[in-house]
Amino acid sequence: MKLSFRWYGVDDPVTLEKIRQIPNMHSIVTAVYDVPPGELWSRESIAALKKTVEDAGLHFEVIESVPVHEDIKLGKPTRERYIENYKENIRRLGEAGIKCICYNFMPVFDWTRTQLDRQLPDGSNALVYYQDQISRMDPLTGELSLPGWDASYTKESLKQVFDEYGKLTEEDLWENLRYFLSEIIPVAEQSDVRMAIHPDDPPWPIFGLPRIITGEKNLDRFLKLVDSPYNGLTLCTGSLGSSKENDIVHLVDKYSEMGRIHFLHFRNVLLLPDGSFEESAHYSACGSLDMVGILKVLHKNGFTGYIRPDHGRMIWGETGKPGYGLFDRALGATYINGIWETLERLG
Ligand code: CS2
Ligand code: MN
């Protein structure tokens, strides 16, 4: 496994110098953030990012994310231009040495939580998803804006995109995904860039919008849409693991044995009886997932891909981007190291 860490660029208070001091750190996971979804990333921006990361003594091999334009998910005629741009971005990133691109196919909203700073019993803060809160939210009328939401939507444009999704069935979304993959995966193969879809977070429909990258049956279907090793997964343990239907150790075992996990997001969640969940510390007993079991099957299957601690809590008074502070993610990284070293020693 190659240990990695997400970094939001030169304005991120968690600097590359700090990240480098985490033992065994290999790669930075980042993106060009100042280009709207669907547009081209300039070679200059990519080269500058690569230089900054490499000058700090870290590898530049993973992008999270190259966003997929909404017109591609909706299957609109205008998708052709955005797909061509997507292919060109894959080529440019491949030329710059990128090995893996993470992306998602969630309509409108990326990850969704109902509160970003819920205080846990130990005094730390975490991101949570409470069913009773979500059922009271309506993105079309409320004043709400959550971090996974694209801030560029006005209420009117949001209503329009909701109307467009209203006409789309889940099967249509599958077909639009298949079409997208059939176009981009050959380019990924030529560029030697592994594509790694991120599961829907949480893995069920929200606000009446369909979500399809949710569990085993659908992951099987996804991998067969284009049956190439370059069409793979970002297996996010906390996203899939927030549904009690998903047996995460089994999923990690199955898909890493198939060689289809290119990137693993290591996050623990505490599941509550009503389907709500809280993001917890990485240590297994703090949440509902068997974190050692996850690494054990990855190790058994000879995993050589990238792994990063996913969201962390805010601890020790740290403030910053919810989920993306330094301290708890660094603890997560050393937890990964400790388990992995033990597995290596035990053979
Ligand atoms: C990330 C996602 O913070 C997170 O939960 O895992 O925002 C992820 O970057 C995207 O869904 C991948 O496209
Ligand atoms: Mn994730």
Side-chain angles (χ1 to χ4, degrees):
M1 66 95 181
K2 298 182 196 78
L3 189 62
S4 63
F5 212 78
R6 195 173 197 181
W7 177 68
Y8 282 96
V10 288
D11 297 328
D12 193 332
V14 182
T15 61
L16 292 175
E17 290 66 34
K18 288 175 185 158
I19 297 171
R20 195 193 178 177
Q21 291 171 1
I22 299 168
N24 195 33
M25 191 50 66
H26 183 276
S27 290
I28 284 300
V29 175
T30 190
V32 170
Y33 286 106
D34 57 2
V35 176
E39 300 305 324
L40 281 177
W41 290 10
S42 73
R43 286 202 173 80
E44 295 69 38
S45 306
I46 297 169
L49 200 52
K50 178 182 169 74
K51 183 169 186 320
T52 309
V53 169
E54 292 181 347
D55 284 354
L58 294 156
H59 292 85
F60 178 68
E61 295 175 6
V62 188
I63 293 294
E64 177 175 352
S65 310
V66 181
V68 178
H69 193 277
E70 226 56 48
D71 289 6
I72 297 177
K73 298 177 216 165
L74 283 162
K76 292 164 84 166
T78 38
R79 71 180 159 182
E80 302 305 337
R81 181 174 97 79
Y82 297 120
I83 292 177
E84 287 313 312
N85 285 350
Y86 208 99
K87 290 182 195 169
E88 183 58 17
N89 282 337
I90 295 173
R91 285 187 204 103
R92 292 180 182 186
L93 289 165
E95 282 160 19
I98 289 298
K99 301 282 172 231
C100 176
I101 295 177
C102 170
Y103 67 103
N104 72 70
F105 213 75
M106 287 177 249
V108 194
F109 302 112
D110 194 330
W111 56 280
T112 302
R113 297 291 178 275
T114 59
Q115 196 183 332
L116 304 178
D117 57 353
R118 172 79 179 175
Q119 191 160 8
L120 302 183
D122 63 4
S124 61
N125 289 330
L127 289 77
V128 298
Y129 181 99
Y130 290 146
Q131 289 291 357
D132 63 325
Q133 290 179 336
I134 198 90
S135 55
R136 289 198 301 271
M137 287 179 175
D138 179 354
L140 293 179
T141 57
E143 290 309 310
L144 273 157
S145 82
L146 288 176
W149 300 15
D150 183 342
S152 65
Y153 280 111
T154 60
K155 283 270 180 290
E156 291 67 47
S157 58
L158 199 59
K159 167 130 188 22
Q160 193 188 336
V161 76
F162 262 74
D163 286 346
E164 288 178 289
Y165 276 108
K167 299 184 200 108
L168 200 81
T169 65
E170 209 170 280
E171 282 307 309
D172 294 332
L173 190 59
W174 275 110
E175 172 52 23
N176 296 342
L177 177 54
R178 189 205 59 75
Y179 182 81
F180 173 63
L181 293 174
S182 71
E183 291 285 319
I184 64 157
I185 296 299
V187 177
E189 287 170 345
Q190 285 153 17
S191 309
D192 195 26
V193 175
R194 284 171 174 72
M195 298 302 299
I197 199 168
H198 190 284
D200 301 348
D201 184 4
W204 52 75
I206 54 160
F207 308 125
L209 297 166
R211 289 192 153 194
I212 55 179
I213 309 300
T214 50
E216 183 167 9
K217 196 166 121 267
N218 289 11
L219 290 169
D220 287 346
R221 180 172 177 183
F222 167 80
L223 293 174
K224 288 202 195 92
L225 289 177
V226 174
D227 203 0
S228 158
Y230 286 84
N231 178 32
L233 308 174
T234 295
L235 200 137
C236 180
T237 62
S239 299
L240 290 167
S242 47
S243 164
K244 59 179 181 320
E245 309 294 312
N246 290 329
D247 175 346
I248 298 304
V249 175
H250 166 71
L251 297 180
V252 173
D253 191 12
K254 173 171 168 176
Y255 299 120
S256 62
E257 192 173 23
M258 288 165 66
R260 298 297 276 276
I261 301 181
H262 303 319
F263 191 17
L264 189 121
H265 284 182
F266 195 71
R267 187 206 303 169
N268 198 359
V269 280
L270 179 69
L271 307 189
L272 304 175
D274 69 343
S276 302
F277 62 89
E278 296 173 347
E279 296 191 2
S280 65
H282 293 89
Y283 187 70
S284 299
C286 295
S288 301
L289 303 187
D290 176 1
M291 305 306 276
V292 173
I294 289 166
L295 292 182
K296 199 169 164 189
V297 292
L298 266 190
H299 185 262
K300 165 177 76 80
N301 294 330
F303 181 72
T304 55
Y306 303 89
I307 178 167
R308 71 167 177 82
D310 203 5
H311 298 172
R313 302 160 302 145
M314 282 298 175
I315 61 172
W316 304 334
E318 188 178 17
T319 54
K321 201 175 173 60
Y324 287 98
L326 171 64
F327 301 146
D328 201 36
R329 287 190 298 148
L331 290 181
T334 51
Y335 182 57
I336 294 170
N337 278 335
I339 297 167
W340 199 265
E341 183 178 351
T342 306
L343 291 167
E344 297 270 74
R345 294 283 180 88
L346 296 177

